[in-house]
Amino acid sequence: MKNELALSGEEIKEMVYPDLFENIGMIRGEYPIRECGKNILTKDCQDFFKKYLKGICKIYQKQEVWYRFSELTVSEANSLVGTEEILPDNHPLFGIRGLRRSLQYLDEFEAEIKVINDVHSEYDNLAVFFPFVNDGKQLRRAIDILRKSGYSGKVGTMIELPSAYFDLDNILQTAIEKIVIGMNDLTSFVYAAVRDSQWHEMNSEIMMNIIEDIANRAKKYDVDVAVAGYLDENIINNLQEKGIKAIVHYSLIPQIYGRGIEFPNHLAEVKKFTKENIRNLGKKDD
């Protein structure tokens, strides 16, 4: 069973190790935006973003390309040129992220949807899913906005909050076609532990039981399930044994598979650029 590939704005020129990855299981929307350094409301960002998505969809035009709507933290959004409202970021992990931000700032959400629709009109292999979803009610509202915009492609959601897991039956009844289990955040919230701490046990029996439960219940609705996050080889092998696909970050290919990549520093460079913008924003406030 092949896994799926996650991209964070890497401008690949050809399919990446098709013997390992069957498709693009995730494009993290916030990374091309952060690389551009401008809010999605700006024409510069929309043009940059659209060009990137079209390039990936063309390379993978015979396979699905799943785009995840942007999941900017408050500080990341504040640092972008063109962000209209600057918010305090008291709780980065728990704050206005993902779908929460999309529904609070509908102009940004609609601008992102417009780019998606423009790309989808040319490449119908582009599918989308939502991050940081609270529950089925919130997801229904987002899907309604998306469908009313004219988008006709596949839709999915992440399950990365315990509330979404507890409301899984309602989520599965929203006509989604894919669930991506976000192990970074879900593990943090289940264990009340930050990433890289000794208590953040993604490969624990508890987390594997949650994954299997989601997969078994989703199967009844013919909803595909994949697991994403900063996964290691042990977790991926564990998932493979259970017949569950992993979505592997491009930057982790050397570590997990021992193979080279064309853009080994891309993710780190974008993160560094964002941190510099956040620091510069703080200096302006001073």
Side-chain angles (χ1 to χ4, degrees):
M1 179 178 67
K2 294 182 182 179
N3 287 312
E4 303 182 3
L5 181 65
L7 295 175
S8 302
E10 294 90 354
E11 293 194 51
I12 58 173
K13 302 298 187 294
E14 59 185 6
M15 292 178 66
V16 177
Y17 296 122
D19 60 316
L20 298 176
F21 306 113
E22 66 179 15
N23 64 347
I24 300 297
M26 179 192 299
I27 293 177
R28 297 196 285 178
E30 65 274 16
Y31 278 93
I33 294 173
R34 287 167 59 179
E35 183 177 0
C36 180
K38 297 182 179 181
N39 191 285
I40 191 66
L41 294 173
T42 67
K43 185 178 184 300
D44 284 349
C45 183
Q46 292 173 25
D47 290 345
F48 180 86
F49 193 33
K50 190 183 304 183
K51 180 181 177 182
Y52 177 73
L53 287 181
K54 283 187 176 182
I56 302 302
C57 288
K58 183 177 181 180
I59 293 169
Y60 282 87
Q61 57 188 312
K62 294 183 180 180
Q63 290 82 24
E64 291 178 347
V65 173
W66 283 89
Y67 171 78
R68 185 184 76 179
F69 278 91
S70 56
E71 191 180 6
L72 297 160
T73 66
V74 169
S75 289
E76 290 164 358
N78 287 348
S79 73
L80 299 172
V81 174
T83 294
E84 295 179 348
E85 185 174 4
I86 305 301
L87 301 173
D89 191 11
N90 299 322
H91 304 288
L93 186 64
F94 303 94
I96 303 172
R97 298 168 52 195
L99 190 53
R100 295 177 182 178
R101 183 175 182 91
S102 296
L103 295 178
Q104 181 161 328
Y105 295 95
L106 287 174
D107 53 349
E108 294 181 11
F109 188 28
E110 289 166 355
E112 197 169 0
I113 290 174
K114 184 180 184 303
V115 173
I116 296 301
N117 281 333
D118 287 348
V119 177
H120 188 261
S121 67
E122 188 172 346
Y123 296 99
D124 62 5
N125 58 327
L126 180 64
V128 300
F129 64 102
F130 298 102
F132 218 70
V133 174
N134 285 352
D135 51 36
K137 182 179 179 181
Q138 187 191 52
L139 179 61
R140 284 183 186 279
R141 183 184 172 199
I143 292 174
D144 184 58
I145 293 170
L146 181 65
R147 292 303 188 196
K148 285 181 179 177
S149 77
Y151 176 77
S152 59
K154 291 185 175 182
V155 177
T157 185
M158 293 199 78
I159 301 291
E160 50 193 333
L161 300 181
S163 59
Y165 174 52
F166 294 144
D167 201 37
L168 183 60
D169 288 340
N170 287 325
I171 285 175
L172 287 167
Q173 292 169 26
T174 60
I176 56 171
E177 296 182 71
K178 184 173 185 174
I179 282 175
V180 176
I181 303 172
M183 290 297 284
N184 296 336
D185 282 338
L186 186 57
T187 306
S188 288
F189 292 124
V190 167
Y191 282 103
V194 296
R195 298 178 196 177
D196 300 323
S197 72
Q198 66 190 83
W199 304 285
H200 195 269
E201 301 180 66
M202 286 201 294
N203 203 23
S204 68
E205 184 177 355
I206 289 173
M207 298 310 300
M208 288 300 138
N209 286 342
I210 290 174
I211 291 170
E212 286 193 273
D213 183 44
I214 293 172
N216 290 336
R217 291 160 67 183
K219 189 175 182 180
K220 298 176 183 176
Y221 289 84
D222 293 322
V223 173
D224 291 333
V225 172
V227 176
Y230 289 111
L231 311 176
D232 61 27
E233 187 176 359
N234 290 332
I235 296 173
I236 292 171
N237 290 338
N238 202 350
L239 293 171
Q240 288 272 315
E241 291 175 3
K242 300 177 188 301
I244 299 172
K245 291 181 290 185
I247 300 178
V248 180
H249 288 298
Y250 175 89
S251 61
L252 294 179
I253 290 175
Q255 176 183 325
I256 294 171
Y257 297 103
R259 299 195 188 183
I261 52 177
E262 189 174 356
F263 308 103
N265 301 317
H266 174 84
L267 186 59
E269 289 170 353
V270 175
K271 289 182 177 181
K272 180 181 178 182
F273 177 64
T274 299
K275 288 179 180 178
E276 289 174 351
N277 286 341
I278 292 171
R279 283 196 296 269
N280 291 336
L281 183 68
K283 291 176 182 178
K284 290 180 182 178
D285 292 341
D286 293 341

